[in-house]
Amino acid sequence: MRRRDFLKLSTAFSAGLLYPFWSQAATSGLRPKLPIPALLKPDSQGMIELIAGQGQSVLRNNLKTATWGYNGALLGPALQLQRNSKVTLQVNNRLPDPTTVHWHGLEIPGRADGGPQALIAPGTQWQASFTVDQPAATCWFHPHVHQISGQQVARGLGGMILIEDQESAALSLSATWGVDDIPVIMQDKKLDANGQIDYQLDVMAAALGWFGDLLLTNGVHAPQHAVPRGWIRLRLLNASNARSYRLVASDHRPLLVIGSDGGLLSEPVQVHELPMMAGERFEVLVNTEDGKPLDLLTLPVSQMGMSVAPFDQPQLVLSLIPTTDKARGKLPDALAKLPALPERKGLMVRKFKLSMDPNVDALGMKALTDKYGAQAMAGMDQAIHQGHGAMPSANTQSSSTQGHDMQKMEGHDMQNMQNMSGHNMQGMSGHNMPGMEGHTMPMPDADAPDLHRANFINGQVFDMKTPAFTVKRDVDEVWQISGEGDMMLHPFHIHGTQFRILSENGKPPAEHRRGWKDIVSVEGALSEVLVRFRHEADAAHPYMAHCHILEHEDTGMMTSFLVEGGA
């Protein structure tokens, strides 16, 4: 979008027109200031040191909460890396438990990727050395420990990575850290009565993901931040375990998306609502030249379980309070040059089928409605009317898994899966779900399921010891990821690459999702991405591909693979 076109369109919004249920009274009074993570650059030897440790943070009601962080009590610094530079990232583990650190979004060799095999025992350290070789982007880092990634992220571990290059610097985008270039890290937390993080990998979390009722931005609730007047760059990161967000400006002000997971778009794309799944990043410009305060809100989403109060109403992410200073950044007409998509003819096609243990699925939704009532089933009726509730036949499953024997699905009764054509919550704890008459859901088995074998890719739970397949380096492939027959949202993440979305849930990707990505939405339909791996990953350090709802990852919805050789 060209600047003159945006300026014409921007006159259409009314600063006095607010979203329903929202008023400026919600932002009145003393709000905490937005914490800005320290910007950490490599030293003269190219080294950055991180210390994973314990601390205390005040998250609600002045209660001290035990938290984990990098170089502090909660979250971590932002790492600033320059393209073509050689860096070594050293992680010292001062936690009571083993951990790992995955550099999410970085295109680096498997030995440096920080997957579950790169375990760091308490009291030890690990180094990842590599050359930064990808365009400017906002990435992040977080734990990736086998079966407990969700727990460690929930406790507070995570931080941003900023990759810079000469091309992006020449665009004159807002670039003063914490002034007009602002990190916005969104997470939800659940605290117990004593103010401690209440994390449990129970059947509801295994089915839906872990979610809370407290929204934090950079580790605090409902912060405000003083900004200059002009173009403000927001680096948005959804660092939640499972929750999606739907971001809007309180006065309907346009948001200009300039970048996605893996870098800048070809040109700014105007949106009024910006959905963000767990793990995703977007860079957005907002115009504060009028000097009027602006609230960034998240609206209710249709994701299963994520409309429980208070998220059934708009929630404040961040208030921006313009000062009299002038911002220096500009809105460019063009941003990055993206390569044209190649012809698909002759490309290798790999197929991935995402599925859940139907018993865990039923038990999880029963637990949800028992605890929160029928209103917690937001998205169920929509999913069914879109056909998401119909489980495919055994023949359909076999044809979509490229040689995997679906009859060997551990923990699955194939006949039970075929009978799940439609999911009816009627009769579950006495709740009658409006609009869902005629849909039947099997009641859960009495035996307690193995939650670490609850979610599947191609009928298999994640195997730490055996990579599932091998990819050739520097060769384009089409990956088809299917969630057909599963009503749940799966933000699917692939390590070691930035890909292009060819189709998302059976439709062309939205304009702002056509740049470099490392997460694609898979929700009851088929999504396709074009992938290429430029680095190798051996059997000791394979790459991962998984759902980024961390509890789905921890309970089996992950696979590993090797990259070797070339064309």
Side-chain angles (χ1 to χ4, degrees):
M1 168 171 287
R2 296 193 178 276
R3 184 176 184 275
R4 60 177 177 272
D5 296 329
F6 169 80
L7 292 176
K8 291 177 183 177
L9 288 169
S10 64
T11 60
F13 82 83
S14 169
L17 181 62
L18 301 179
Y19 276 90
F21 311 113
W22 190 259
S23 69
Q24 291 295 340
T27 63
S28 62
L30 185 61
R31 294 281 181 184
K33 292 183 178 180
L34 179 73
I36 301 296
L39 197 59
L40 199 56
K41 303 178 182 180
D43 63 17
S44 60
Q45 304 301 312
M47 173 80 76
I48 290 179
E49 185 174 9
L50 292 174
I51 299 173
Q54 304 177 85
Q56 289 186 325
S57 305
V58 176
L59 305 182
R60 174 183 274 169
N61 297 334
N62 295 318
L63 295 173
K64 291 184 178 179
T65 301
T67 54
W68 291 3
Y70 299 107
N71 297 8
L74 182 65
L75 295 173
L79 313 184
Q80 187 176 54
L81 308 179
Q82 292 291 329
R83 189 173 190 178
N84 298 321
S85 64
K86 294 182 179 180
V87 298
T88 296
L89 305 179
Q90 178 172 298
V91 182
N92 301 286
N93 183 9
R94 296 183 185 171
L95 298 169
D97 299 330
T99 191
T100 67
V101 180
H102 167 52
W103 319 108
H104 183 131
L106 297 195
E107 295 185 74
I108 53 181
R111 57 176 167 74
D113 183 65
Q117 286 81 3
L119 203 62
I120 314 168
T124 67
Q125 63 185 36
W126 172 74
Q127 289 186 349
S129 298
F130 54 89
T131 298
V132 181
D133 185 19
Q134 63 190 97
T138 299
C139 302
W140 68 302
F141 59 99
H142 60 82
H144 211 302
V145 191
H146 182 41
Q147 297 183 338
I148 58 170
S149 294
Q151 179 192 95
Q152 293 200 355
V153 171
R155 290 186 174 185
L157 293 171
M160 273 191 178
I161 301 174
L162 281 56
I163 300 175
E164 308 289 356
D165 62 16
Q166 293 181 352
E167 290 77 10
S168 64
L171 294 173
S172 299
L173 291 166
S174 303
T176 305
W177 184 248
V179 178
D180 57 10
D181 184 359
I182 303 168
V184 181
I185 305 173
M186 296 166 288
Q187 294 181 306
D188 60 327
K189 301 293 183 189
K190 180 182 179 182
L191 305 182
D192 63 20
N194 298 317
Q196 302 309 303
I197 292 171
D198 184 7
Y199 185 88
Q200 296 181 36
L201 183 56
D202 55 18
V203 70
M204 186 165 67
L208 306 171
W210 181 76
F211 59 91
D213 60 358
L214 176 64
L215 176 59
L216 302 178
T217 305
N218 295 4
V220 301
H221 177 61
Q224 61 181 341
H225 190 65
V227 296
R229 299 189 183 194
W231 291 109
I232 305 301
R233 182 183 193 175
L234 303 179
R235 296 181 187 258
L236 304 170
L237 163 61
N238 182 350
S240 296
N241 284 45
R243 182 180 297 280
S244 296
Y245 298 100
R246 187 156 62 106
L247 301 178
V248 296
S250 56
D251 57 5
H252 296 264
R253 190 177 311 218
L255 307 176
L256 272 290
V257 183
I258 61 171
S260 55
D261 297 337
L264 297 175
L265 304 180
S266 57
E267 63 179 13
V269 176
Q270 176 178 280
V271 299
H272 285 277
E273 291 188 6
L274 180 60
M276 289 188 69
M277 298 178 294
E280 284 193 303
R281 291 87 62 210
F282 284 102
E283 295 187 32
V284 168
L285 293 180
V286 293
N287 191 354
T288 61
E289 194 168 7
D290 61 6
K292 296 177 180 178
L294 165 69
D295 290 342
L296 183 67
L297 309 177
T298 181
L299 301 182
V301 298
S302 61
Q303 183 184 2
M304 195 74 66
M306 303 302 164
S307 62
V308 171
F311 288 91
D312 57 342
Q313 301 293 331
Q315 295 295 300
L316 176 63
V317 175
L318 174 65
S319 293
L320 298 178
I321 313 298
T323 66
T324 57
D325 296 335
K326 286 288 187 180
R328 299 180 181 179
K330 299 178 180 179
L331 172 65
D333 288 339
L335 295 166
K337 294 182 179 180
L338 299 179
L341 295 174
E343 290 287 336
R344 293 183 52 168
K345 185 178 181 181
L347 296 183
M348 173 71 178
V349 177
R350 297 187 190 272
K351 299 183 179 182
F352 304 84
K353 179 71 172 70
L354 311 184
S355 60
M356 304 176 67
D357 183 328
N359 192 38
V360 172
D361 196 6
L363 283 167
M365 286 187 281
K366 182 180 187 302
L368 179 71
T369 54
D370 282 352
K371 186 170 184 176
Y372 297 108
Q375 69 275 10
M377 297 303 294
M380 171 71 85
D381 188 59
Q382 176 186 0
I384 288 174
H385 284 96
Q386 291 175 345
H388 295 190
M391 297 299 294
S393 68
N395 290 336
T396 302
Q397 291 169 328
S398 296
S399 67
S400 67
T401 54
Q402 198 183 33
H404 287 275
D405 184 1
M406 298 302 289
Q407 299 298 333
K408 296 180 180 178
M409 290 178 66
E410 302 167 70
H412 281 252
D413 179 335
M414 294 303 297
Q415 186 62 43
N416 189 25
M417 290 183 69
Q418 293 178 49
N419 289 339
M420 289 180 67
S421 56
H423 296 261
N424 183 4
M425 299 306 297
Q426 233 178 11
M428 291 181 63
S429 302
H431 295 296
N432 184 5
M433 301 301 161
M436 297 177 61
E437 296 78 5
H439 299 284
T440 59
M441 169 170 281
M443 293 308 294
D445 296 336
D447 294 337
D450 180 353
L451 295 184
H452 288 299
R453 307 182 70 83
N455 290 289
F456 307 86
I457 296 180
N458 290 345
Q460 303 294 320
V461 297
F462 174 60
D463 184 346
M464 274 281 287
K465 299 179 180 178
T466 309
F469 57 94
T470 300
V471 177
K472 290 184 178 180
R473 181 168 52 85
D474 292 324
V475 175
D476 290 328
E477 294 189 356
V478 174
W479 285 20
Q480 296 179 340
I481 308 105
S482 172
E484 294 165 310
D486 182 354
M487 72 189 73
M488 298 294 179
L489 168 68
H490 300 294
F492 195 78
H493 171 52
I494 305 173
H495 289 212
T497 187
Q498 288 292 334
F499 53 70
R500 304 282 293 279
I501 299 176
L502 302 176
S503 67
E504 200 159 30
N505 297 314
K507 300 177 181 179
E511 286 291 335
H512 65 282
R513 302 181 65 82
R514 296 186 179 184
W516 295 114
K517 292 279 295 164
D518 55 55
I519 291 180
V520 61
S521 171
V522 181
E523 189 173 14
L526 182 73
S527 296
E528 298 179 298
V529 299
L530 179 76
V531 300
R532 173 187 284 252
F533 299 91
R534 299 187 295 112
H535 300 280
E536 295 189 355
D538 60 26
H541 311 94
Y543 287 138
M544 304 292 127
H546 58 89
C547 177
H548 217 281
I549 290 178
L550 298 182
E551 288 67 38
H552 287 180
E553 169 196 320
D554 286 342
T555 57
M557 195 174 284
M558 179 160 65
T559 190
S560 64
F561 59 97
L562 311 181
V563 177
E564 60 184 31

